[in-house]
Amino acid sequence: MRPLRKPQAGSYVITYSISSWEPELSPETREELLEDLEGGRVIYFPELAFSFSEEEKAFFSPYWSTEKAKNISFDPVHGQLKGTEAAGSRRELLASLLGRFASQTQRLIRRLFPSYESGLEQGRTSFRPVEIQGRAMSVRKDDSRLHADAFPSRPTQGKRILRVFSNVNPEGKPRKWRMGEPFAEYARRLLPRARPPAWLEPWLLEKMGITRGRRTLYDHYMLALHDLGKEDEGYQKQGTREAFDFPAGTTWICFTDQVIHAADAGQYLLEQTFLVSPQVLRYPDNSPLGILQTLLGKPLV
Ligand SMILES: [Fe+2]
């Protein structure tokens, strides 16, 4: 049998030749996947494509997203669709498309990382039909700048952000990513410039409805690193360690709170977010929470 795992020297991206959303994996392969994922690698499946039905191909148009939202998002738990003005049967079809991606990615993650089962929570599903190249936005929202993900209004309170991406571009356009330094280097470099939260700040943010739930010290520092890194022009010019183009018809997974990434170009992407509780991690010291707690010398959640 040919090996499933194909690392490339010096690359963050580890290729696995898996072509099913419900793969049968040996315990050895599952162990390798876990090590790669928690080691801050991008797990790349060049042979795993998400397919659209003929009817669903009508959604290959930026027309379906609202001017303000850019992304169409779906809450798989409540079946709610946001960021689109699609109505009637079109809306139902779009919801069922996103719901199918949500259930396929959930089955995939369960097969790849069964040890996460008890600490796994499914977040939003999103469809990104707008070309990202040349999109005007504020520095902090600009994802073509290197960053690790941190949510300003939805604190994760120590939970990890695990994301599954499928490039579904019908014209064969790649999704262009760049990746930066390992998370520990990023944290060591930026943390001295991060100020602690003001007294009562997390409480006020929650009270005023700016955050949904309490912004813990972990959320505070992750957001500070995100903003300081995006605002650092010198770092943005020189920080790229690797560029990688994900071709159309491929899928990839990573902890986006750990992999320093930037997306430069691409259109038509499906993305599913999962939150992973720190209790189920195999290598918690290697997680952003573990690294930040060591650097600051105190518990952050
Ligand atoms: Fe991101």
Side-chain angles (χ1 to χ4, degrees):
M1 205 176 99
R2 68 194 171 126
L4 286 178
R5 182 180 186 270
K6 293 174 201 158
Q8 229 187 323
S11 176
Y12 279 107
V13 182
I14 311 283
T15 299
Y16 279 83
S17 48
I18 283 171
S19 53
S20 158
W21 292 91
E22 286 181 85
E24 300 283 350
L25 300 169
S26 67
E28 293 77 25
T29 301
R30 289 202 299 257
E31 200 52 43
E32 288 174 340
L33 279 160
L34 203 57
E35 255 179 57
D36 286 335
L37 181 77
E38 294 193 23
R41 306 301 192 99
V42 177
I43 313 288
Y44 171 46
F45 304 117
E47 296 150 32
L48 188 61
F50 181 77
S51 46
F52 279 50
S53 69
E54 274 313 307
E55 223 185 344
E56 288 167 344
K57 287 180 182 162
F59 297 119
F60 287 128
S61 159
Y63 165 82
W64 298 103
S65 76
T66 57
E67 193 44 46
K68 206 172 144 251
K70 309 279 185 193
N71 293 342
I72 297 169
S73 83
F74 179 69
D75 172 354
V77 179
H78 303 100
Q80 268 175 349
L81 198 59
K82 279 187 189 157
T84 179
E85 275 151 24
S89 62
R90 286 291 187 190
R91 194 177 181 88
E92 276 170 35
L93 192 61
L94 191 51
S96 85
L97 165 71
L98 288 169
R100 194 168 80 248
F101 188 68
S103 58
Q104 285 196 0
T105 52
Q106 191 180 49
R107 287 200 295 272
L108 177 70
I109 293 296
R110 283 185 167 158
R111 285 288 175 99
L112 301 178
F113 310 109
S115 58
Y116 286 174
E117 183 77 40
S118 64
L120 192 68
E121 205 180 298
Q122 191 161 27
R124 302 248 179 88
T125 319
S126 91
F127 178 46
R128 309 181 184 179
V130 180
E131 170 60 55
I132 51 173
Q133 192 171 21
R135 214 163 77 169
M137 51 179 56
S138 69
V139 167
R140 288 183 180 181
K141 283 192 178 163
D142 183 359
D143 287 339
S144 70
R145 288 171 177 259
L146 290 164
H147 65 285
D149 285 353
F151 301 145
S153 60
R154 286 170 290 139
T156 71
Q157 303 175 334
K159 289 181 186 154
R160 307 291 313 272
I161 305 169
L162 177 63
R163 287 183 147 165
V164 183
F165 302 92
S166 276
N167 180 355
V168 292
N169 190 288
E171 291 146 11
K173 272 201 231 167
R175 191 97 183 161
K176 289 175 168 287
W177 269 34
R178 282 177 294 116
M179 282 151 279
E181 67 218 313
F183 184 87
E185 279 179 48
Y186 166 86
R188 267 197 297 271
R189 201 169 43 74
L190 294 168
L191 205 53
R193 281 143 63 186
R195 61 156 186 83
W199 190 58
L200 292 182
E201 182 183 332
W203 178 82
L204 270 173
L205 289 170
E206 187 182 4
K207 262 283 181 258
M208 291 164 72
I210 295 169
T211 58
R212 194 174 310 152
R214 186 64 51 96
R215 186 183 283 175
T216 63
L217 280 174
Y218 171 70
D219 296 294
H220 172 86
Y221 283 109
M222 286 299 284
L223 195 58
L225 298 186
H226 171 273
D227 295 350
L228 287 166
K230 279 191 176 176
E231 286 160 1
D232 185 333
E233 297 295 340
Y235 169 62
Q236 290 300 330
K237 281 203 185 83
Q238 289 155 16
T240 300
R241 298 273 174 100
E242 181 180 1
F244 196 92
D245 291 357
F246 294 97
T250 68
T251 296
W252 62 104
I253 299 175
C254 66
F255 274 126
T256 55
D257 54 12
Q258 179 175 9
V259 176
I260 312 302
H261 62 285
D264 291 321
Q267 186 178 11
Y268 302 117
L269 178 84
L270 280 164
E271 178 266 319
Q272 175 65 54
T273 300
F274 293 90
L275 294 177
V276 179
S277 152
Q279 284 78 21
V280 298
L281 295 176
R282 174 71 55 87
Y283 308 100
D285 292 347
N286 205 29
S287 70
L289 177 62
I291 289 169
L292 292 177
Q293 289 190 149
T294 304
L295 290 174
L296 289 163
K298 60 178 171 186
L300 299 179
V301 289

